[in-house]
Amino acid sequence: MAIKIDGKQISAQVKDECRDRVAKEGLDITLAVIQVGNDPASTVYVGNKKKACEYIGIHSLAYELAEDTSEEELLELVEKLNADEKVNGILVQLPLPAHINEDKVIQTISPEKDVDGFHPQSVGALSIGQPGFVSCTPAGVIQLLKRSGITIDGKECVIIGRSNIVGKPMAMLMLRENATVTVCHSHTANLKEVAKRADILIVAIGKPKFITRDYVKEGAVVIDVGIHRNENNKLCGDVDFDDVEPVASAITPVPGGVGPMTIAMLMNNCVEAKGIRKA
């Protein structure tokens, strides 16, 4: 029976460490969160971010803009927050309405305040091993592995999914930890055979319950980044948990695995942003 990796518990550890550091160092940190429109999932995420800020002792500024807000208006707000010295982190909740260019918005955020780790400068710093903000979900996966006592160094890691938000930064972080990394995607031939090589299998493919035991080597660690609603409106991941758990040595559940870590690492980035601004 696999060890169930408890993302709720580990995220609580990270948030407690952030809260202790804020209190001990007397840090005055402000995170600005911008939401355009009222996508229900985005509203839940924004609410959770506000709660986390309150718990840690970070000020949060909420900008809830109408669905028909123009790209120009949004960019003006971002520039205003860039120039505000009291604001340490800026987060624009994705997805944005179709008439707004997400890349343009991300590139407008100052790299010093890019707590989501999406700016090209942040991504470039990660790729060449320089300090900078790291995308929160991949950073959270690293913490899940390390704090669960799972060795990454020298292990074979297969990542299924090559998105800019998860797959690519995840690969670079695993390389940084001395794993041997293979990135798979929709054009990968013999996906099952490649996945079965993995000591650590990280799945961010966006297809509910796609990964069954046929893709998993006996004793592998399985990290499920996906989140979906099934036919009964219950949350599930990209991995068929019930099918895979008996063959894995450790596995993240959905919910309660990777999800809580994303907000915990966002809080960590906000605390780090204060250090970057002071430097």
Side-chain angles (χ1 to χ4, degrees), residues 155-215:
K155 299 295 182 183
E156 181 135 8
C157 171
V158 173
I159 298 163
I160 305 181
R162 56 176 168 181
S163 73
N164 291 337
I165 290 173
V166 179
K168 289 175 188 172
M170 192 75 253
M172 288 188 279
L173 282 175
M174 293 301 281
L175 282 171
R176 185 189 280 185
E177 299 295 332
N178 299 317
T180 299
V181 180
T182 303
V183 179
C184 299
H185 44 78
S186 57
H187 291 250
T188 298
N190 306 316
L191 180 60
K192 283 183 184 175
E193 289 81 352
V194 177
K196 281 194 99 149
R197 296 204 311 254
D199 302 308
I200 301 171
L201 180 64
I202 301 172
V203 188
I205 200 171
K207 295 181 180 178
K209 295 189 176 183
F210 182 85
I211 298 298
T212 59
R213 67 171 64 204
D214 298 342
Y215 291 81

Side-chain angles (χ1 to χ4, degrees), residues 132-143:
F133 292 115
V134 176
S135 185
C136 300
T137 300
V141 170
I142 295 291
Q143 289 302 312

